[in-house]
Amino acid sequence: MSGPFSDGGGGMAILRCDSLEEAQDIYRESPIVRSGGATVDVREWNVVWGSAQP
């Protein structure tokens, strides 16, 4: 899942990965990040309500 914040102040993407390092690698290789068109702050997130399962 991904999309912009409604106030135009950036956006968020939720990835399902086996590790934080895997998520960082995905973004490190992203063309928009490599070109300098976007910056990324990758963090782990714990689901406390609902389900992260498909």
Side-chain angles (χ1 to χ4, degrees), residues 1-48:
M1 293 181 285
S2 67
F5 295 128
S6 60
D7 66 1
M12 183 170 72
I14 298 175
L15 306 176
R16 180 176 299 144
C17 298
D18 291 327
S19 67
L20 179 61
E21 291 77 19
E22 180 183 357
Q24 291 169 328
D25 289 345
I26 288 169
Y27 278 107
R28 193 175 358 265
E29 297 303 317
S30 169
I32 195 167
V33 172
R34 291 181 67 152
S35 71
T39 59
V40 178
D41 181 17
V42 180
R43 300 178 184 198
E44 289 184 273
W45 180 56
N46 298 314
V47 177
V48 295

